[in-house]
Amino acid sequence: MQNQINQYTIEINNFQPANAAELEAFRIRFLGTKGLIKDLFDQFKAVSPEEKRTLGKGLNEFKQLAEAKYQTLKEQSAIQPEKAGSKDDLTLPGEGFQLGSRHPLSLVRNEIIDIFKRLGFVVAEGPEIEDDWHNFSALNFPEEHPARDMQDTFFISKSLTLNPSPGESKMKGDIALRTHTSSVQVRMMEAGKPPFRAIMPGRVYRNEAISARAHCFFHQVEGLYVDENVSFADLKQTLYHFVLEMYGEGTKVRFRPSYFPFTEPSAEMDVSCSICKGAGCQMCKYSGWVEILGCGMVDPNVLENCGIDSEKYTGFAFGMGIERITNLKYQIRDLRLFSENDVRFLKQFQTEIS
Ligand code: PHE
């Protein structure tokens, strides 16, 4: 029996498996329930007491040797599976995977926010479900006035009194999906004291048939600046600065008189077409100019509606559609692309997600 143990000890010491199967065969041969060690212990039961004394220690040591060898080889094969015959090579470099990309509207919205933040504007947000007061009445849209038709509204219910959450004002009048983020300007002015210098990005809804040029929802960034002595010159200079940052030096702007119930005087601002540089193309309908926003001096009625002294304070406001700005920047001609989630379209705006 001692001879057997000696022989097996040499075998175990020299054992080097070529693969996982060989290691498993080793386990079964020595440590298995019908293995050699079990067999040796069975034989051991039959030997004389004197022999037991000399053999016992050696047998136990032999068993420990076999177990230790198996454990070490097993751990090694987990670290270097190729040695144990596994096909996985953990030393290979990892497979690359693609991060998602930002939606073009988010990219442009963030760019607009960054530009205005550098000018000291903060970002304000408000609810997409609005009441008549914040979306229309406070903004100087008279009852039954056709100006309300300028923005085809999705009404939700007539004069629903929603339970306000703490700190929120009660809904006043018909409930609708907001048609512009000017409603956030009202909420901001009602809740605080001038000066205000904020932009309001957000989604807005209008009941329009979906086509390449119109959609039932789109995104806006509106802006509000209220303080003492704010003039139309401030409005022009702020927006001019925005345009140069957004479309680059050399971009021209022009203001055309317009009408909005909440601003007086009101204007629309055009920029020289960034695609054809004013030469005329499909994007600017061969005029060389593209309208990008509405603006004006906040109507004193609006300030008063929000509890602000219109004798003391003046302000300007503006509002632009992010889709329009994006179309111009990336030459996108169909608004529907923004909401169809076609990966082939979205993939073109691959940017690092940070
Ligand atoms: N609220 C206007 C719109 O949605 C845009 C606007 C904002 C115009 C502020 C003037 C001043 O069309």
Side-chain angles (χ1 to χ4, degrees):
M1 196 173 161
Q2 187 59 54
N3 281 349
Q4 272 177 310
I5 293 176
N6 293 346
Q7 204 187 319
Y8 292 149
T9 304
I10 296 169
E11 193 185 321
I12 289 175
N13 282 333
N14 291 335
F15 178 66
Q16 236 353 295
N19 51 42
E22 281 190 22
L23 181 59
E24 179 60 5
F26 172 89
R27 187 190 66 77
I28 294 167
R29 176 166 153 80
F30 287 101
L31 303 164
T33 42
K34 290 181 189 151
L36 290 169
I37 291 175
K38 169 84 172 41
D39 192 38
L40 286 171
F41 273 88
D42 287 346
Q43 289 181 39
F44 182 74
K45 283 181 205 151
V47 300
S48 67
E50 297 90 75
E51 271 186 303
K52 269 196 180 142
R53 229 169 289 136
T54 47
L55 273 177
K57 192 162 170 263
L59 185 56
N60 271 325
E61 279 170 3
F62 173 68
K63 187 183 173 200
Q64 280 160 16
L65 172 78
E67 282 170 351
K69 177 84 180 187
Y70 175 71
Q71 272 312 320
T72 325
L73 288 173
K74 203 175 158 202
E75 276 158 29
Q76 272 178 8
S77 70
I79 303 163
Q80 296 170 300
E82 76 276 21
K83 268 209 164 156
S86 160
K87 288 199 189 77
D88 300 325
D89 179 357
L90 298 186
T91 63
L92 284 175
E95 266 180 38
F97 58 92
Q98 277 194 340
L99 289 176
S101 56
R102 289 240 183 269
H103 193 281
L105 293 177
S106 302
L107 290 175
V108 172
R109 181 200 55 210
N110 292 348
E111 210 177 326
I112 298 171
I113 290 175
D114 280 347
I115 296 171
F116 282 103
K117 267 191 176 167
R118 288 199 289 273
L119 290 173
F121 283 74
V122 296
V123 175
E125 283 178 353
E128 292 184 13
I129 296 176
E130 260 304 1
D131 58 16
D132 179 275
W133 171 254
H134 292 97
N135 198 80
F136 292 122
S137 297
L139 288 161
N140 208 29
F141 284 82
E143 288 278 336
E144 312 299 335
H145 193 279
R148 290 184 187 228
D149 297 339
M150 278 168 72
Q151 305 184 338
D152 301 287
T153 311
F154 281 118
F155 285 99
I156 293 177
S157 70
K158 272 216 148 307
S159 295
L160 177 87
T161 319
L162 293 178
N163 276 339
S165 45
E168 217 179 59
S169 60
K170 223 175 172 166
M171 292 288 202
K172 289 189 234 170
D174 297 346
I175 307 299
L177 293 176
R178 70 179 175 195
T179 59
H180 50 186
T181 53
S182 304
S183 54
V184 186
Q185 306 187 6
V186 176
R187 286 182 177 273
M188 190 177 195
M189 289 192 282
E190 279 178 340
K193 283 194 176 11
F196 299 107
R197 202 192 293 170
I199 50 171
M200 297 83 187
R203 181 176 284 185
V204 300
Y205 302 83
R206 294 189 193 174
N207 190 0
E208 291 196 41
I210 297 171
S211 71
R213 301 183 53 83
H215 212 294
C216 58
F217 64 80
F218 60 98
H219 302 79
Q220 284 190 323
V221 176
E222 295 218 357
L224 175 73
Y225 191 169
V226 178
D227 203 345
E228 290 177 42
N229 303 318
V230 177
S231 72
F232 203 90
D234 298 320
L235 160 72
K236 282 175 97 171
Q237 201 53 39
T238 306
L239 294 178
Y240 185 48
H241 174 83
F242 162 72
V243 166
L244 294 187
E245 291 271 308
M246 192 75 204
Y247 294 112
E249 291 291 327
T251 313
K252 289 194 243 136
V253 297
R254 73 177 185 190
F255 289 83
R256 286 177 289 101
S258 185
Y259 170 76
F260 299 102
F262 35 90
T263 46
E264 184 57 38
S266 304
E268 276 168 333
M269 189 178 84
D270 300 340
V271 294
S272 51
C273 180
S274 64
I275 290 159
C276 63
K277 304 280 172 247
C281 68
Q282 228 186 337
M283 185 63 86
C284 61
K285 297 196 214 96
Y286 300 94
S287 70
W289 294 97
V290 186
E291 183 212 317
I292 63 160
L293 56 80
C295 57
M297 301 305 292
V298 182
D299 193 299
N301 286 343
V302 176
L303 295 175
E304 294 293 338
N305 284 341
C306 300
I308 292 167
D309 182 354
S310 62
E311 296 288 326
K312 189 168 173 202
Y313 293 103
T314 49
F316 68 75
F318 57 86
M320 64 186 99
I322 304 179
E323 277 80 351
R324 175 70 63 86
I325 310 277
T326 311
N327 287 351
L328 200 54
K329 194 174 162 93
Y330 294 114
Q331 307 191 35
I332 298 163
R333 294 212 167 78
D334 192 329
L335 272 179
R336 290 169 291 196
L337 287 166
F338 291 124
S339 50
E340 278 170 352
N341 284 340
D342 185 332
V343 183
R344 290 166 303 177
F345 171 73
L346 297 172
K347 259 201 333 236
Q348 299 172 69
F349 305 91
Q350 210 76 274
T351 41
E352 260 180 51
I353 301 273
S354 56

